[in-house]
């Protein structure tokens, strides 16, 4: 995944040096400015982003690549790993349903084995070769010690299971990245940039994120399966995630 080296090591002098090297070698210097941030800063907020809803077991277009959530880009057996359809079975298909706080936003017909508070972002650092090639340059945490081994393994993801804070409709909820999309798979400027870049995706009303039914309910979305809800979001470290229904089950599995 995109990466930076650990931010603790960056100084203004080093950034200037890198920009000079980038200019001399023909690499766009703006990349340095876009992705490198001073030590001690939080991950930036991405604001007013359209979010749609997806769920494990959904098949919205069986003829299209990526038209099924039976698997994810990070888990070829996602529906088995999760424990089944994250919704209700009807007419031979897995359909979504309204989620409520009374039962922790869980599905009514099954008990998840993995975190039901999941989402995707448009950066697939395993199967998209463009994203894979740049991930160690743009992913902010790629240089952290915990990511040293997976950073050198092209079959391991630096994105899977990463935590994201999401705000909408006066609510703040938290989820883990378990897939990539929507509509784009190496949109580093939007996903990791610090200037509130708009998503490059133009499908699904220009959505820049898909959230699970649990997040849909937690964030008080207006539609269980619409394309008009907007969110603000930012990455955060697992140690900064507060206790809540999103920590009842935490996904730790790797790619497969």
């Amino acid at each position: 995944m995109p990466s930076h080296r650990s931010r603790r090591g960056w100084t203004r002098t080093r950034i200037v040096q890198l920009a000079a090297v980038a200019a001399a070698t023909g690499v766009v210097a703006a990349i340095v400015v876009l992705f490198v941030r001073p030590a001690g800063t939080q991950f930036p907020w991405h604001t007013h982003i359209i979010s749609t809803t997806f769920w494990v077991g959904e098949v919205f277009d069986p003829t299209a690549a990526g038209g099924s959530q039976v698997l994810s880009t990070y888990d070829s057996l996602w529906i088995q790993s999760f424990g089944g359809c994250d919704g209700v079975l009807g007419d031979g298909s897995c359909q979504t349903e309204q989620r409520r706080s009374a039962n922790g936003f869980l599905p009514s017909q099954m008990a998840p084995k993995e975190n039901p508070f999941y989402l995707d972002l448009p950066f697939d650092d395993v199967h998209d070769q463009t994203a894979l090639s740049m991930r160690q340059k743009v992913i902010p945490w790629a240089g952290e010690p915990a990511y040293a081994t997976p950073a050198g393994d092209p079959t391991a993801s630096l994105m899977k299971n990463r935590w994201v804070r999401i705000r909408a409709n006066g609510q703040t909820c938290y989820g883990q990245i378990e897939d990539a999309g929507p509509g784009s798979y190496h949109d580093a400027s939007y996903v990791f940039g610090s200037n509130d870049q708009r998503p490059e995706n133009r499908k699904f009303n220009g959505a820049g994120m898909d959230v699970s039914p649990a997040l849909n309910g937690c964030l008080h979305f207006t539609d269980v399966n619409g394309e008009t809800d907007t969110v603000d979001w930012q990455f955060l470290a697992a140690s900064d995630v507060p206790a809540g229904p999103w920590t009842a089950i935490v996904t730790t599995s790797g790619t497969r």
Side-chain angles (χ1 to χ4, degrees), residues 151-166:
D153 180 357
T155 68
S157 173
L158 308 186
M159 295 293 284
K160 188 180 189 301
N161 304 334
R162 191 73 189 190
W163 284 95
V164 174
R165 179 180 2 234
I166 311 173

Side-chain angles (χ1 to χ4, degrees), residues 63 78 86-87 91 174 178-179 201 228 249:
T63 66
W78 197 20
D86 185 16
D91 299 325
Y174 300 78
E178 301 300 338
D179 201 2
N201 173 51
T228 60
I249 307 171

Side-chain angles (χ1 to χ4, degrees), residues 1-3 73-74 120-126 128 130-136 138-139 157 159 177 179-182 184-189 191-192:
M1 277 197 170
S3 90
T73 195
Y74 304 126
D120 68 14
L121 287 171
F123 197 87
D124 175 359
D125 72 321
V126 174
D128 185 278
T130 300
L132 177 61
S133 69
M134 72 170 74
R135 70 181 189 174
Q136 289 184 283
V138 297
I139 293 181
S157 173
M159 295 293 284
I177 298 170
D179 201 2
S184 180
Y185 300 96
H186 50 254
D187 191 356
S189 295
V191 175
F192 306 110

Side-chain angles (χ1 to χ4, degrees), residues 61-208:
D61 186 350
T63 66
S68 167
Q69 309 307 330
V70 172
L71 51 79
S72 84
T73 195
Y74 304 126
D75 190 343
S76 60
L77 299 173
W78 197 20
I79 193 166
Q80 290 94 323
S81 299
F82 190 78
C85 164
D86 185 16
V88 294
L89 294 171
D91 299 325
S93 65
C94 175
Q95 302 171 10
T96 192
E97 60 180 339
Q98 184 69 55
R99 301 297 174 85
R100 306 191 184 281
S101 61
N103 73 335
F105 303 101
L106 294 173
S108 62
Q109 295 185 358
M110 59 90 72
K113 297 179 180 178
E114 295 189 333
N115 195 347
F117 290 79
Y118 54 85
L119 63 133
D120 68 14
L121 287 171
F123 197 87
D124 175 359
D125 72 321
V126 174
H127 293 106
D128 185 278
Q129 292 303 304
T130 300
L132 177 61
S133 69
M134 72 170 74
R135 70 181 189 174
Q136 289 184 283
K137 300 187 182 88
V138 297
I139 293 181
W141 51 87
E144 295 176 5
Y147 290 89
T149 298
D153 180 357
T155 68
S157 173
L158 308 186
M159 295 293 284
K160 188 180 189 301
N161 304 334
R162 191 73 189 190
W163 284 95
V164 174
R165 179 180 2 234
I166 311 173
R167 303 184 305 207
N169 304 309
Q171 309 299 309
T172 300
C173 307
Y174 300 78
Q176 291 180 271
I177 298 170
E178 301 300 338
D179 201 2
S184 180
Y185 300 96
H186 50 254
D187 191 356
S189 295
Y190 156 59
V191 175
F192 306 110
S194 59
N195 60 347
D196 208 9
Q197 175 72 34
R198 298 297 88 189
E200 67 181 15
N201 173 51
R202 293 296 176 264
K203 300 177 182 178
F204 320 116
N205 200 23

